[in-house]
Amino acid sequence: MVKIAVCDDEKNIRAYLVSLIKKQDIECSIMEYVSADEYLPDSKEYDLLFLDIEMGGSGAGMDGMELARNIRGMDTGRQPVIIFVTGYEKYVYDAFDVGAFQYLVKPVDEQKFAEVFSRAVRQILSRQIAQEAEKYRKKLVIPYAGGSKTIPYHDIYYMESRNHNIVLYLKSGTLEYYGKIGDLERKLAGQFYRIHRGYLVNLFYVESYNRTEIRMENGDKLLLSRYKYGNFVQAYMEYISEESQ
């Protein structure tokens, strides 16, 4: 799924761009914005942004170039591929200054649009594949049998602290070694969350929860500390939001 935004103050141009997007053979979602000032406060992150440069004429709000500079200055996990849509070729050098992928001159030629769109989507999908692969490359190294053992995060459902040892509940069974759950909590923050003094769960495998209990995808039910509930929900929602991007 490619998430696309179209930001242009002309309704007919937005409609035309949306119609061209829908003609392309790609699964996508599309949102429309009538101005840079409408786009900027929106918390959504997009893969691809079609952006008009000449918005906000006569000093009425930001133009597209200013919006692009704002976007590039944001500290976010994902930056959109920006394709400028403009009636003037004079903006080409400014477009490259903000890392624009390409620019299209109005009236937009359908064949040119298809070519640029195809190249942009290839770049986006390559980036998504690399990001997905990175998730699976994350691994936990533990002391084991006089040496060490490497375990991918995605093989771990959760961890339990038991008699100064750590028990890992894995897709392949269980594994126990000497360690402190507090050390793991700090090391694995982001994907794992400590729901109780004795449990550290992989948020990827949380199937459901209520105020007292969490059910993991392997069927195990774990006690959720009432003091941890609020922070757990926040951590889980933040993780799910990042995973869905």
Side-chain angles (χ1 to χ4, degrees), residues 9-65:
D9 57 358
E10 296 182 73
K11 184 177 181 179
N12 62 321
I13 298 295
R14 292 199 310 274
Y16 180 58
L17 292 175
V18 169
S19 71
L20 291 180
I21 293 169
K22 290 180 177 179
K23 287 183 179 181
Q24 313 309 309
D25 186 22
I26 186 71
E27 182 181 1
C28 63
S29 63
I30 308 170
M31 286 291 294
E32 297 180 44
Y33 297 89
V34 301
S35 68
D37 295 288
E38 182 184 51
Y39 177 96
L40 195 58
D42 198 334
S43 60
K44 296 184 179 68
E45 291 186 350
Y46 294 99
D47 299 302
L48 178 57
L49 170 61
F50 288 94
L51 180 57
D52 180 23
I53 294 180
E54 301 87 15
M55 293 183 296
S58 303
M62 287 187 289
D63 64 11
M65 197 63 67

Side-chain angles (χ1 to χ4, degrees), residues 140 142-145 149-151 158-160 162 165-178:
L140 173 67
I142 64 171
Y144 190 73
K149 188 176 181 67
T150 301
I151 304 169
Y158 65 96
M159 307 169 182
E160 180 184 6
R162 184 193 298 171
N165 281 357
I166 301 294
V167 181
L168 302 180
Y169 290 81
L170 310 171
K171 291 181 178 180
S172 58
T174 60
L175 187 154
E176 187 169 346
Y177 72 99
Y178 177 78

Side-chain angles (χ1 to χ4, degrees), residues 62-120:
M62 287 187 289
D63 64 11
M65 197 63 67
E66 186 179 352
L67 173 59
R69 293 191 185 99
N70 273 276
I71 292 171
R72 292 303 186 231
M74 291 178 180
D75 183 19
T76 60
R78 182 173 67 195
Q79 286 274 335
V81 169
I82 296 177
I83 297 175
F84 278 118
V85 182
T86 176
Y88 306 96
E89 293 192 28
K90 65 182 181 181
Y91 291 111
V92 59
Y93 295 111
D94 292 332
F96 292 136
D97 285 343
V98 292
F101 179 80
Q102 186 58 276
Y103 72 97
L104 296 169
V105 178
K106 300 176 183 176
V108 177
D109 177 76
E110 186 168 343
Q111 183 175 344
K112 178 67 173 179
F113 179 93
E115 293 171 358
V116 171
F117 184 87
S118 178
R119 288 193 290 111

Side-chain angles (χ1 to χ4, degrees), residues 69-234:
R69 293 191 185 99
N70 273 276
I71 292 171
R72 292 303 186 231
M74 291 178 180
D75 183 19
T76 60
R78 182 173 67 195
Q79 286 274 335
V81 169
I82 296 177
I83 297 175
F84 278 118
V85 182
T86 176
Y88 306 96
E89 293 192 28
K90 65 182 181 181
Y91 291 111
V92 59
Y93 295 111
D94 292 332
F96 292 136
D97 285 343
V98 292
F101 179 80
Q102 186 58 276
Y103 72 97
L104 296 169
V105 178
K106 300 176 183 176
V108 177
D109 177 76
E110 186 168 343
Q111 183 175 344
K112 178 67 173 179
F113 179 93
E115 293 171 358
V116 171
F117 184 87
S118 178
R119 288 193 290 111
V121 168
R122 284 200 299 272
Q123 179 173 303
I124 291 164
L125 294 181
S126 294
R127 183 172 64 187
Q128 289 178 349
I129 290 170
Q131 290 171 341
E132 191 66 21
E134 179 62 29
K135 293 177 186 177
Y136 285 88
R137 278 197 291 267
K138 291 182 179 179
K139 297 178 180 180
L140 173 67
V141 180
I142 64 171
Y144 190 73
S148 63
K149 188 176 181 67
T150 301
I151 304 169
Y153 287 7
H154 272 64
D155 284 350
I156 307 170
Y157 288 114
Y158 65 96
M159 307 169 182
E160 180 184 6
S161 177
R162 184 193 298 171
N163 299 324
H164 304 292
N165 281 357
I166 301 294
V167 181
L168 302 180
Y169 290 81
L170 310 171
K171 291 181 178 180
S172 58
T174 60
L175 187 154
E176 187 169 346
Y177 72 99
Y178 177 78
K180 298 180 180 179
I181 199 167
D183 293 339
L184 290 173
E185 180 183 11
R186 289 185 289 273
K187 184 177 182 179
L188 304 177
Q191 183 164 340
F192 289 77
Y193 188 81
R194 194 170 181 179
I195 62 169
H196 184 273
R197 65 181 182 180
Y199 295 115
L200 187 65
V201 302
N202 188 340
L203 296 173
F204 184 83
Y205 292 116
V206 171
E207 185 175 86
S208 62
Y209 63 88
N210 56 39
R211 287 190 168 272
T212 60
E213 183 179 83
I214 290 175
R215 181 183 177 90
M216 305 300 293
E217 280 194 16
N218 67 344
D220 289 356
K221 297 178 180 179
L222 308 177
L223 180 66
L224 173 59
S225 168
R226 63 191 177 101
Y227 301 108
K228 295 275 191 177
Y229 176 76
N231 289 335
F232 162 75
V233 172
Q234 181 177 350

